Amino acid sequence: MNDPLWLGALALAMVVTGLVSGTLAGLLGVGGGIVIVPVLFNIFPALGIPEAVQMKLAVGTSLATIIPTSIQSARKHHARGAMDVPLLKAMIPSITFGVLIGTLLAIWVRGTTLTAVFATIAVLVALNMGFTGVDSRLRETFPTGFLRQLIGTFIGAISAMMGIGGGTVGVPLMNMFGTPIRSAVATASAFGIIISIPATIGFIWAGWGNPLLPPLSLGYVNLIGFVLIVPSSMLATPWGVHLAHTIPPLMLKRAFALFLGITAVRMFYSLLA
């Protein structure tokens, strides 16, 4: 693992991953995790990392990289006035509660279970975003009371288990319940901050001292991946934010569905193989 060629290839792969994930973070409000997790999941076996820790290491590292990227994305969306701040504030408690549940489950279950959860949710969201119109929704206003808190808990729990920033689940749910797609993307970018910080702490704690983890890992967070992905992601995030406010909303939904569909196919293939 100290071979210069190996390190150079790893560095290049992480930079490219960061550029792609940063663009998607600004474009779709997904925090980049929907790209980072499957990429790392495919890189780790080639590096000889034990299968028992591959998925949890991918999820934990992804969550860590989402912290700074989501902060930057949320600030830029808020500056454009697209974020639904009252809805965001109302959902913070339930999303946080969901993150705690999801993190505990992710720590307890096997890595293959996390892979199955990731792929299944990705398929459902891709089908919804790919085959419904931009104005397709179940109701015109977002629910209040218990239902709102239930939605927030679901977003937090699933996102923590998948290693994503909340936009993958939050954007289609908010859009289905009456939130315009641009506002949903902007608001979901802030979900990543709420989700990634406590979940990252949980994954660091859970993997602390695990002898199967590769060098330079802080629990289930690999510091090499974090250091290389974060700056390239932050560089590319403004590109995605610009695209989110210039391309047609329906095209935005279709692009979201395409990326999720590709991700799901790759994950299901890994399970069957």
Side-chain angles (χ1 to χ4, degrees):
M1 294 181 68
N2 295 317
D3 180 77
L5 292 177
W6 182 89
L7 291 174
L10 176 64
L12 179 60
M14 292 301 180
V15 169
V16 172
T17 300
L19 292 175
V20 175
S21 65
T23 301
L24 290 179
L27 175 63
L28 305 174
V30 298
I34 196 68
V35 177
I36 295 172
V37 171
V39 169
L40 295 182
F41 184 75
N42 284 286
I43 290 176
F44 288 159
L47 298 176
I49 296 174
E51 183 179 358
V53 299
Q54 287 174 10
M55 189 60 180
K56 292 185 179 182
L57 187 62
V59 171
T61 303
S62 173
L63 287 167
T65 65
I66 288 170
I67 297 174
T69 306
S70 292
I71 292 174
Q72 185 187 40
S73 180
R75 288 180 59 189
K76 291 186 176 297
H77 277 297
H78 184 266
R80 289 177 175 264
M83 188 178 295
D84 189 337
V85 177
L87 177 60
L88 173 64
K89 291 181 178 179
M91 295 184 69
I92 287 177
S94 59
I95 291 177
T96 303
F97 178 66
V99 170
L100 297 178
I101 295 175
T103 302
L104 290 174
L105 287 173
I107 293 170
W108 179 67
V109 302
R110 299 179 61 181
T112 51
T113 302
L114 293 184
T115 304
V117 170
F118 191 104
T120 301
I121 297 299
V123 165
L124 295 176
V125 175
L127 290 174
N128 173 68
M129 298 296 281
F131 293 98
T132 60
V134 69
D135 293 321
S136 299
R137 57 191 63 183
L138 297 178
R139 53 183 293 171
E140 296 302 317
T141 58
F142 200 83
T144 58
F146 176 76
L147 183 54
R148 172 181 290 183
Q149 302 310 314
L150 185 63
I151 293 173
T153 301
F154 177 77
I155 292 173
I158 293 298
S159 298
M161 294 187 72
M162 294 176 67
I164 58 178
T168 302
V169 180
V171 169
L173 281 177
M174 286 190 291
N175 190 226
M176 287 170 58
F177 286 111
T179 304
I181 184 64
R182 296 194 194 279
S183 179
V185 168
T187 306
S189 67
F191 289 174
I193 304 173
I194 306 169
I195 293 166
S196 58
I197 294 177
T200 298
I201 295 173
F203 272 83
I204 291 175
W205 171 79
W208 196 269
N210 191 324
L212 297 178
L213 291 170
L216 295 176
S217 292
L218 195 63
Y220 286 123
V221 176
N222 182 258
L223 298 181
I224 297 176
F226 176 77
V227 169
L228 293 175
I229 291 173
V230 168
S232 53
S233 295
M234 297 184 72
L235 174 66
T237 296
W239 307 344
V241 172
H242 176 73
L243 288 174
H245 291 269
T246 56
I247 66 176
L250 185 58
M251 186 180 296
L252 180 59
K253 292 189 69 172
R254 297 297 185 257
F256 198 1
L258 177 62
F259 280 111
L260 289 180
I262 293 173
T263 297
V265 169
R266 292 172 63 93
M267 300 299 274
F268 276 127
Y269 178 78
S270 70
L271 286 174
L272 294 176

